Amino acid sequence: MASKRKRNEDSNGSDLNVKIKKGVSAGKRHIAALILARGGSKGIPLKNIKTLAGVPLIGWVLRAAVDSKVFDSVWVSTDHDEIERVAKAWGAQVHRRSPEVSKDSSSSLETIQEFARLKPEVDVICNIQATSPCLHPHHLREALEMITEEGYESVFSVVRKHHFRWQEVKKGDGTSTQALNLDPSRRPRRQDWPGELCENGSFYFATRDLIEKGLLQGGKMAYFEMRPEYSVDIDVDIDWPVAEQRVLRYGYFGMDKPEVVKLLLCGVSGCLTDGKIFLSLAGEEMVSVSVRDNVGIAMLQNGDVEVILVMSSGSLLPKALSDKLAQRTGCELRQFVGSNKEEVEKIMKERGLGWKEVAYMGNDEPDVECLNLAGFSAVPKDAPTVALNRAKYVCHSVAGCGAVREFAEHILLLKKEAKS
């Protein structure tokens, strides 16, 4: 049996979330999210943790799964140490799969069955594809309701496509091709044809009983239709730039939407500069700043985003140099004496802002709390791991070489898309 799920793509799903959480907390069934991320990808090496729009590919679906708040546990099944590290940084537990299900010939179902066998407490598994970066929490919440509230045993995601299909003919056999889903003499207009539902691979919910029988789809089953803009899949390199543009517009960036940003707090040393201090023969101290970063700051200021340069306590960069950089960019300079979080909250209080209205760009351990709390946060590509793991956006550029410009463009793009 198949069923179409009626839903509102723009709903935040808050009431639904409450209903599902009640069922989970009552101990009725343990519902787990499972992302399969083998280290031996052939198409794109280590594809699952390659950076897409500033975030590891697997990070996009992990963020959606964790923020949906409907799973009792979120897991990544992998055989690779670096994928394990990234998965944990994005809030997942890790199941180290066995060599038997880590081969090129191993199927997803075999890997899921191994997980189910070793996790007897799990009753329902949602297999989320790591290559679906436009997945949102409300997709998972609404699909799961079909299992918890409507009694379905399996639910999978689909997208509606309007493609005319034809039978394949091998060269030289002399046969004529045949239309598979249309009458060529009466070709319908797109608006007069509902199209066909095709799996988009974003997720598959299934009960333990089905999985143990060797099925991801079966029993009382239903599909969950996702809009085309959210149906992004990445298999080969050529998909990457297309997916990057799509995710910038339709991806899920977290609980707080970055389009409401009114203030950017940007570290001087390690963000605006590369953290180096040059000494001349005369003993003068100098730093280098990218012209591109200066332009990026001006772009934000013209876009009604205030920019404040900050110096963390313990910074080795002389204040005189920071003052000159602030003057050059037309920004206020704040020198922090306490924790960065406390200092930022003072600035927010002065301006009547909340964390969701603040963007923060840092580069090291003192910035971690602010990177976590800010509505939108970023680090340069060469930031230490402790900062990389907490930022919502990782720049392609390194510190002092255009990272600030890149983050500025990203903020303005999201604000523009929000208004369109």
Side-chain angles (χ1 to χ4, degrees):
M1 177 180 180
S3 168
K4 177 180 178 180
R5 174 66 183 155
K6 295 180 180 179
R7 80 267 178 252
N8 179 358
E9 287 272 23
D10 298 320
S11 168
N12 62 16
S14 57
D15 293 337
L16 172 61
N17 190 26
V18 171
K19 285 197 294 184
I20 293 179
K21 286 184 74 176
K22 284 181 179 178
V24 171
S25 62
K28 292 182 179 179
R29 283 190 283 186
H30 183 115
I31 301 168
L34 178 64
I35 296 93
L36 308 182
R38 190 170 65 92
S41 173
K42 297 299 183 184
I44 306 175
L46 288 180
K47 170 178 64 178
N48 295 309
I49 55 174
K50 182 178 177 181
T51 300
L52 177 75
V55 173
L57 179 60
I58 198 172
W60 289 104
V61 295
L62 283 174
R63 178 188 286 162
V66 171
D67 283 0
S68 71
K69 300 188 185 302
V70 296
F71 296 109
D72 294 284
S73 57
V74 177
W75 295 85
V76 169
S77 171
T78 188
D79 59 343
H80 195 277
D81 292 343
E82 185 63 12
I83 294 177
E84 176 175 353
R85 183 192 67 77
V86 173
K88 289 179 177 178
W90 284 86
Q93 299 180 69
V94 172
H95 165 65
R96 291 295 295 217
R97 62 171 71 179
S98 68
E100 288 72 26
V101 296
S102 300
K103 304 172 184 176
D104 291 342
S105 59
S106 300
S107 69
S108 296
L109 180 58
E110 290 172 330
T111 311
I112 296 169
Q113 286 179 314
E114 179 189 74
F115 173 83
R117 186 170 63 253
L118 297 174
K119 307 295 178 190
E121 72 277 11
V122 174
D123 301 297
V124 177
I125 294 174
C126 178
N127 173 217
I128 303 174
Q129 301 280 38
T131 54
S132 300
C134 286
L135 181 69
H136 281 240
H138 70 83
H139 295 137
L140 298 168
R141 286 194 293 257
E142 294 172 25
L144 180 56
E145 186 196 32
M146 302 172 74
I147 288 184
T148 59
E149 302 293 326
E150 300 176 32
Y152 288 98
E153 297 170 80
S154 60
V155 177
F156 54 94
S157 58
V158 300
V159 63
R160 191 175 298 272
K161 293 187 176 182
H162 292 77
H163 294 164
F164 293 137
R165 295 183 293 108
W166 293 80
Q167 183 175 336
E168 182 180 2
V169 174
K170 295 182 179 179
K171 289 184 178 181
D173 68 2
T175 60
S176 174
T177 188
Q178 300 293 322
L180 295 178
N181 65 346
L182 80 153
D183 179 352
S185 66
R186 301 176 62 186
R187 291 174 63 92
R189 299 184 305 165
R190 180 185 177 91
Q191 58 266 40
D192 296 330
W193 181 46
E196 296 181 326
L197 296 176
C198 304
E199 291 182 28
N200 68 356
S202 285
F203 60 81
Y204 299 82
F205 280 94
T207 62
R208 166 181 287 277
D209 289 343
L210 277 179
I211 291 169
E212 289 177 344
K213 294 175 183 176
L215 296 170
L216 275 179
Q217 297 156 299
K220 183 182 179 184
M221 62 180 163
Y223 61 79
F224 180 88
E225 184 177 350
M226 292 172 62
R227 293 211 303 253
E229 56 264 37
Y230 298 115
S231 298
V232 178
D233 192 22
I234 302 173
D235 286 319
V236 293
D237 269 326
I238 197 171
D239 297 330
W240 210 267
V242 176
E244 189 149 40
Q245 290 304 309
R246 185 80 68 85
V247 79
L248 287 174
R249 181 165 186 175
Y250 299 111
Y252 172 69
F253 285 86
M255 297 293 211
D256 297 318
K257 296 183 178 180
E259 61 263 23
V260 300
V261 167
K262 297 178 181 178
L263 170 67
L264 168 64
L265 296 163
C266 177
V268 176
S269 180
C271 291
L272 188 60
T273 75
D274 59 8
K276 298 176 183 177
I277 300 176
F278 301 94
L279 294 175
S280 70
L281 288 174
E284 295 176 319
E285 295 177 313
M286 298 175 289
V287 294
S288 64
V289 181
S290 170
V291 174
R292 286 181 292 167
D293 289 334
N294 285 351
V295 173
I297 290 173
M299 290 166 59
L300 286 173
Q301 292 167 333
N302 293 333
D304 297 322
V305 177
E306 182 183 6
V307 181
I308 296 179
L309 302 183
V310 300
M311 289 180 62
S312 298
S313 59
S315 172
L316 298 178
L317 189 68
K319 187 175 184 300
L321 287 177
S322 296
D323 285 334
K324 287 183 180 180
L325 291 176
Q327 292 170 9
R328 184 181 182 89
T329 58
C331 298
E332 179 184 353
L333 174 69
R334 290 290 186 102
Q335 186 165 18
F336 292 169
V337 294
S339 76
N340 288 15
K341 175 177 175 291
E342 292 172 353
E343 297 287 350
V344 170
E345 287 175 340
K346 290 178 185 177
I347 297 172
M348 290 163 48
K349 186 175 181 180
E350 292 170 6
R351 287 159 174 73
L353 300 177
W355 277 108
K356 68 180 181 179
E357 299 166 295
V358 174
Y360 188 93
M361 188 167 191
N363 80 314
D364 215 329
E365 197 279 332
D367 301 303
V368 166
E369 284 186 296
C370 296
L371 292 170
N372 270 330
L373 293 169
F376 204 28
S377 61
V379 294
K381 181 180 179 179
D382 55 345
T385 301
V386 66
L388 288 170
N389 288 345
R390 295 297 182 267
K392 296 180 175 70
Y393 184 87
V394 178
C395 297
H396 295 288
S397 304
V398 298
C401 296
V404 176
R405 166 69 180 263
E406 180 183 338
F407 189 39
E409 289 180 338
H410 199 53
I411 291 172
L412 293 172
L413 174 63
L414 292 169
K415 289 172 72 72
K416 179 181 178 181
E417 294 292 355
K419 295 177 182 177
S420 62

